[in-house]
Amino acid sequence: MVVLVVATTSDPASIGPAAAFLAMPGWSPGPPIAEGMQSFTNGNVRLLKHQRSIIAEDDLDRRWQEATGEPVSEVIFLSKHTAVSNRPALTVHPIGVPHLREDGTLPQGGIPGWAAIPNPRIGPWLRLMQKIAAEQGLVPEFEVITLEATHHGPVTRTPTMFVEIGSTEEYWGRQDAAQAIALVLWKGLGLEDGNDVGSWQGNGEKVLLGIGGGHYAPRHMDIVIKDGVWVGHLLSGYSLPMDTPSQVNGKTCGEVAGMWKHSIKVSYEATKAAFPGGEVIAHLDHKSFKGWQKNAVTSYLQEENIRIGKPSDFF
């Protein structure tokens, strides 16, 4: 099994960390899998460079195996991050668009209603990223070193995560940020000393499934930043579309329609697939819900026998 790290030459926040990663010892040329793609090999790590948008190349894990005979255990995409705030940032997140209907528009790839299997390294690598960023002098300038909620493609079938530099062109090409990401890869994949960071051992530990809140999931982040906490999908409010139900005498009645149930269900199932033997527990950002929304979500989780946890339940 090999780890596939994917970069695109069209994105400075992708190719910069890839170049810094390739400058580290032990690399040799690998096989091409398609015209316009290059690959490099180092132990069980394969770095793949292509020329298209990072979200445009679906099924790279399957295509790699078909071309090389090597099954892929996980995929890590290197990409830029954009934000209205324009603040310098380093982020990690799982991918998918579980809230979109079949006829929905795909602004950033994926398959409507789909959630990728989240890479178990997301939580441990967030903490590693914060440590390396501090050691490399990026803090406090890079003030946002954080999780993002589940969003966008491309399509994969193996555990996947994005590692990003944000949030403007000024920072996407920063060599010090690229070096920090390269160090996260180098240490996190065990190329430094053989001891990788964030491999799931299936030992019954608890895994956070975040439900509700904003894109940067601050209340979920407060838990995941603690040592030893594992995290799967994070569903922000926009990934839980709920139609306002009818009211009778001021009380909600009838079914709360929308894609929110599907979004929770497929994200839960993908998270369970990422952490076999673990206990996936839903953590709700209670303050982000209206009363009728919170009641609908908690009732559905109970129906599905998905445990709802408090922060203390994850430690």
Side-chain angles (χ1 to χ4, degrees):
M1 301 284 279
V2 299
V3 178
L4 193 61
V5 179
V6 182
T8 174
T9 57
S10 65
D11 178 354
S14 181
I15 199 61
F21 193 31
L22 287 172
M24 295 173 174
W27 291 98
S28 58
I33 68 167
E35 184 177 352
M37 294 189 182
Q38 291 180 287
S39 71
F40 304 86
T41 180
N42 194 340
N44 72 326
V45 179
R46 307 290 181 264
L47 192 147
L48 178 63
K49 294 197 298 186
H50 63 77
Q51 300 171 352
R52 300 178 66 197
S53 164
I54 201 76
I55 61 171
E57 291 285 356
D58 289 339
D59 299 314
L60 280 171
D61 46 355
R62 174 184 57 78
R63 290 157 59 193
W64 180 271
Q65 181 171 352
E66 290 176 352
T68 67
E70 296 179 333
V72 176
S73 60
E74 61 188 280
V75 184
I76 300 163
F77 289 98
L78 307 177
S79 179
K80 66 185 177 185
H81 168 70
T82 58
V84 174
S85 68
N86 293 333
R87 291 184 297 178
L90 303 177
T91 75
V92 294
H93 68 83
I95 63 171
V97 283
H99 61 292
L100 292 183
R101 298 180 185 274
E102 287 187 8
D103 58 353
T105 301
L106 288 167
Q108 293 181 296
I111 299 172
W114 155 86
I117 301 173
N119 194 316
R121 299 188 194 274
I122 291 172
W125 277 29
L126 169 70
R127 299 186 288 270
L128 176 63
M129 181 183 289
Q130 290 193 325
K131 179 176 182 290
I132 288 175
E135 292 173 348
Q136 296 295 305
L138 293 177
V139 178
E141 182 184 10
F142 279 72
E143 55 191 280
V144 181
I145 303 171
T146 188
L147 292 167
E148 291 182 80
T150 299
H151 65 301
H152 70 64
V155 175
T156 61
R157 307 297 177 186
T158 48
T160 300
M161 66 188 292
F162 264 62
V163 181
E164 301 181 344
I165 300 173
S167 298
T168 65
E169 188 173 358
E170 175 185 357
Y171 298 102
W172 296 333
R174 281 270 293 264
Q175 182 58 37
D176 51 356
Q179 185 66 25
I181 297 299
L183 284 170
V184 171
L185 294 166
W186 184 251
K187 294 174 181 288
L189 294 175
L191 293 178
E192 180 182 53
D193 56 10
N195 298 312
D196 71 327
V197 176
S199 289
W200 174 254
Q201 303 301 320
N203 52 6
E205 293 186 55
K206 299 167 184 177
V207 182
L208 184 148
L209 170 69
I211 299 178
H215 184 71
Y216 295 101
R219 290 187 174 85
H220 308 312
M221 175 85 172
D222 289 343
I223 299 172
V224 178
I225 201 62
K226 306 293 185 183
D227 285 342
V229 177
W230 301 90
V231 60
H233 277 291
L234 299 164
L235 299 177
S236 65
Y238 61 76
S239 292
L240 300 165
M242 307 174 82
D243 297 342
T244 304
S246 58
Q247 299 276 323
V248 176
N249 297 325
K251 293 184 178 180
T252 299
C253 63
E255 187 79 10
V256 178
M259 282 290 286
W260 63 278
K261 285 185 179 181
H262 177 85
S263 187
I264 292 173
K265 184 176 181 62
V266 298
S267 298
Y268 173 75
E269 291 173 348
T271 300
K272 279 187 68 71
F275 296 93
E279 181 186 7
V280 179
I281 302 174
H283 178 258
L284 275 61
D285 184 339
H286 292 280
K287 292 183 178 180
S288 69
F289 293 111
K290 296 178 181 178
W292 63 269
Q293 294 173 318
K294 180 179 173 181
N295 291 338
V297 169
T298 55
S299 294
Y300 177 69
L301 291 171
Q302 290 165 358
E303 290 170 9
E304 295 294 312
N305 295 314
I306 300 173
R307 179 182 169 189
I308 302 171
K310 300 177 180 178
S312 59
D313 291 324
F314 296 92
F315 307 127

